[in-house]
Amino acid sequence: SRGQFETAAWLIVGAAALDMLDGRVARATATGSQFGAELDSLVDAISFGVAPAIIIYHLVLSVGEWSWVASFFYVTCAVVRLARFNIEQGGEAKVNFHGLPSPTAGATLATYYPFSQTDFFREHLSTLPWTTLITTLMIIIGGLMVSHVLYPVVAKFGFRTLKGGASLG
């Protein structure tokens, strides 16, 4: 809300990278708990739901009278997706995710601002109807988060995977 959109965007991307590790670390160290899972979901709801929605609202949507609805819809979908994840898949290693993972959705929206500051964007894309495009993107991404579309889990890498054996993490 202070206009530091680029910093906020890269912090969301960093949070997404760290989010890939937290469950793996908890399982590897046998320190996972129900409290930790719930706290992780709350942090994810803020990092990948509320924060990207606020960035997009301030950048693009604040000019329309009903534009806040797209931000609200996106945040609602992120929270529902996280709740469903906890019920269906929480606490165990996954092969697929049901619905677009919230870190992917949040990072996609958050990186709009850094992308919009590039020369390519300014020269070739700046005249597009971005309010309509971003509103549509938020609705599509929100819908994908609560969909039953399967998304593959990022492959595990470790020392053994480099040699062709089982992974360490």
Side-chain angles (χ1 to χ4, degrees):
S1 64
R2 293 181 180 156
Q4 298 174 343
F5 301 119
E6 186 156 1
T7 300
W10 293 120
L11 287 173
I12 292 168
V13 171
L18 292 173
D19 187 65
M20 290 191 317
L21 301 175
D22 62 3
R24 291 178 184 170
V25 169
R27 283 188 295 278
T29 59
T31 56
S33 68
Q34 185 66 33
F35 176 77
E38 298 302 327
L39 185 59
D40 179 63
S41 289
L42 178 59
V43 170
D44 288 355
I46 294 167
S47 298
F48 310 123
V50 175
I54 288 173
I55 290 171
I56 293 301
Y57 178 79
H58 283 290
L59 285 174
V60 181
L61 303 179
S62 63
V63 294
E65 187 173 336
W66 289 94
S67 299
W68 62 271
V69 174
S71 292
F72 178 79
F73 176 79
Y74 173 80
V75 172
T76 302
C77 288
V79 170
V80 168
R81 192 254 183 262
L82 290 163
R84 186 180 72 186
F85 173 83
N86 283 349
I87 292 169
E88 292 180 354
Q89 296 181 286
E92 55 190 59
K94 293 128 202 83
V95 176
N96 291 302
F97 290 112
H98 299 186
L100 182 68
S102 59
T104 304
T108 299
L109 289 179
T111 54
Y112 166 76
Y113 180 75
F115 177 64
S116 72
Q117 302 307 298
T118 64
D119 290 336
F120 178 81
F121 183 92
R122 288 182 187 141
E123 293 171 16
H124 303 289
L125 303 173
S126 62
T127 59
L128 293 174
W130 283 105
T131 301
T132 302
L133 292 172
I134 293 295
T135 301
T136 304
L137 180 65
M138 287 183 90
I139 292 168
I140 290 171
I141 288 175
L144 287 173
M145 281 193 287
V146 296
S147 74
H148 287 285
V149 174
L150 296 178
Y151 292 87
V153 173
V154 175
K156 295 180 182 180
F157 293 102
F159 295 114
R160 289 182 157 187
T161 57
L162 296 174
K163 295 180 183 177
S167 161
L168 293 176

